[in-house]
Amino acid sequence: MFNSLSDRLTATFKNLRGKGRLSEADVDATVREIRRALLDADVAVPVVRDFAAKIRERALGEEVSGALNPSQQVVKIVNEELVGILGGETRRLRLAKNPPSVIMLAGLQGAGKTTLAGKLAKWLKAQGHSPILVAADLQRPNAVTQLQVVGQRAGVAVYAPHPGVQSEFEAATGDPVAVARDGVAEARAKLHDIVIVDTAGRLGVDAEMMQQAADIRAAVNPDEVLFVIDAMIGQDAVTTAKAFEEGVDFTGVVLSKLDGDARGGAALSVASVTGRPVMFASTGEGLDDFELFHPDRMASRILDMGDILTLIEQAEKSWDKDEAARMAKKFADQEDFTLEDFLSQMQQIRKMGSMKKMLMMMPGAQNMRQQLEQFDEREIDRVEAIVRSMTPHERLAPKIINGSRRARIAKGSGVHVSEVNGLLERFGQAQKMMRKMASGGGIPGMPGMPGPGGFGGSKKGPAKGKKKAKSGNPAKAAQQAREAEARRAAGASKALGSQGSAFGGQQGQDFDPSSLNLPKGFEKFLGK
């Protein structure tokens, strides 16, 4: 959603790099570009005006003039002010001391209240609570049925004593205030500790809608009133938010459809205009695409500084601890990384959700956005199909996969042989890297890490296996060439001498499995 804003801000900060001191003209130009970027993103004009004034005041102050790197100090100031207009700090639900806690949802029709009720219920259930959904929207066609379906998918109870309106031609009947009040009583009787009340919405703000929402609030006395707003509506978010603040007096905001391609002005305007914090964000259509809103992390995403903390939390939530322990032990024992391990790791990553979303949380991901947008999520399915088309022996020892086996694997997985070749080549590189890391050599070629090509390598001499540079002396260079040719000839003769049997041993000699450099424990498949 914030792609356009992120690109504009990143381009603005690039103009400041390399400047040892910022003049007033530099600051004014930067603030001007930031103001334009925010206005283009549909942020409310009063919010933009205050934001730009604070940036200019701080950028012209001593904290920038005395900084060693003024450009980075300006980025730091913008980041802090973004966190401020997004709410300042993470706001969590305030639950009642004596259950059940009542959470009321309010908002316009089409904002996604009903779906969000199921997402919130599933999220609370994962936190150890026992929520119940109350269908108090008796006016929108099939709203009650939709809540029942969402509740069933989320695995939570739904209280729906009235079927509601079934078509747009049917007049609304039933008392939503009574349904909400009875829902709280039902939760108390069935020992549910949280009640989520789904209320009716309209296509626009009107007096009847506000009065009904106010009556429901008075009847159930909720601990939290969450205003659900479509993050794609732009400038109109401010008008709608003010109307609900006056009519219902909500305590927090939930942004829905944050995965859309709109410019994101609502997210940057609502908290600042209403003074109410953004508490949750809906980031997709699935029931799991729901997260607690962290202003500091969202500001980091906007400024293309990544969101590593959210990425870690998702990994901890979905990662299999037993599988992680098994891989750690295998790594410590310096056992080979096999295709079985590769398949297992891929399945663990898939549990974390969309690869695109995870990669966009990495710092600097905006620079690769075009490549990430072209990434096909089905590529993981194809790789998994290729690995599953292999036999257990082939997964443990990929070196035995010859041309006929590759053709069979390609046919079984429905891909071209070139894709199988590419996978095996990439796996071979990963396996070499894992071996190097397991032996304590670090990541090859990684700057700052121990290993060949990194800054942590030994300075006493060339790394083992590194080719000697050619001499500038013609006679010496010729001597080096003759020595290299002799070594190649010796290696070729040794390889020819080892041929004979199908496994590479001499005819009549005992077969030595170590000559194949197989993984530990593979000898049992060879009867050794």
Side-chain angles (χ1 to χ4, degrees), residues 375-392:
F375 174 73
D376 187 0
E377 297 276 359
R378 293 173 297 178
E379 181 66 24
I380 301 177
D381 296 330
R382 286 192 284 270
V383 171
E384 185 174 347
I386 292 172
V387 178
R388 290 191 179 279
S389 297
M390 300 177 185
T391 66

Side-chain angles (χ1 to χ4, degrees), residues 69-103:
N69 193 324
S71 63
Q72 291 184 1
Q73 195 68 17
V74 171
V75 175
K76 178 176 178 290
I77 291 172
V78 174
N79 180 59
E80 291 174 354
E81 294 299 331
L82 268 178
V83 173
I85 67 172
L86 286 170
E89 58 183 16
T90 305
R91 161 80 152 75
R92 301 181 183 273
L93 285 172
R94 287 195 293 256
L95 302 179
K97 294 181 180 179
N98 299 317
S101 301
V102 180
I103 301 173

Side-chain angles (χ1 to χ4, degrees), residues 76 98 103 122 127 129 154 166 204 230 284 293 337 389 445 472 513:
K76 178 176 178 290
N98 299 317
I103 301 173
K122 187 173 183 179
Q127 305 293 318
H129 295 284
Q166 299 299 314
D230 188 341
F293 188 86
F337 184 68
S389 297

Side-chain angles (χ1 to χ4, degrees), residues 171-248:
T173 58
D175 185 359
V177 178
V179 170
R181 188 188 301 113
D182 294 343
V184 176
E186 176 76 6
R188 191 174 287 111
K190 298 290 181 65
L191 302 180
H192 293 282
D193 63 340
I194 294 180
V195 182
I196 301 174
V197 181
D198 180 31
T199 64
R202 296 287 192 283
L203 294 177
V205 178
D206 59 36
E208 182 185 354
M209 167 192 176
M210 285 299 177
Q211 186 58 49
Q212 185 183 109
D215 292 343
I216 293 176
R217 171 165 188 158
V220 300
N221 191 24
D223 300 281
E224 294 278 12
V225 179
L226 302 183
F227 171 49
V228 183
I229 188 168
D230 188 341
M232 302 175 69
I233 66 175
Q235 289 277 349
D236 196 43
V238 177
T239 306
T240 307
K242 284 184 176 179
F244 272 89
E245 182 187 6
E246 295 171 0
V248 187

Side-chain angles (χ1 to χ4, degrees), residues 511-522:
F511 166 60
D512 181 11
S514 63
S515 62
L516 286 179
N517 192 25
L518 296 175
K520 291 181 180 180
F522 191 73

